[in-house]
Amino acid sequence: PNAAWLAERLREKIHQLTFGSANSRFNVSVRIGVASIPVGDTKDGTSLTHEADTALHQAKNEGRNKVIVYSPDHPAVVSM
C-alpha cells in the first residue's frame, strides 16, 4: 500500500460512519491532500508538507469527499 491507497481507505471508512441522535442522523466526509517521497528522492520535510498542503487546497476547491494526490505538474483526483 502507498500513501494514496491509505488515504482513500481512510476516506471510505470515514464516509461509511453514521452519527446522530434520536432526532437526526448524518454522515461526514473528508478532504485529504497526499504527497509522497519516491524511493531514492532526497526531498525534505518542508517540501513534502508544502506539496501535501497544495493537494489539500485543491481537494477543498473541488468539493466534498476527495483525495487529491500531489504531482509536480498538477494534482490528480484519486476519488470523488
Side-chain angles (χ1 to χ4, degrees), residues 24-77:
S24 67
R25 308 210 48 70
F26 61 93
N27 297 80
V28 296
S29 62
V30 295
R31 298 171 183 108
I32 301 173
V34 177
S36 60
I37 302 174
V39 174
D41 197 329
T42 58
K43 189 180 301 180
D44 64 25
T46 301
S47 296
L48 185 65
T49 301
H50 175 73
E51 291 172 359
D53 191 51
T54 298
L56 175 59
H57 285 285
Q58 183 68 32
K60 288 179 178 180
N61 289 336
E62 291 193 19
R64 296 181 173 175
N65 210 26
K66 299 268 185 195
V67 173
I68 301 290
V69 178
Y70 178 86
S71 83
D73 300 324
H74 52 76
V77 176

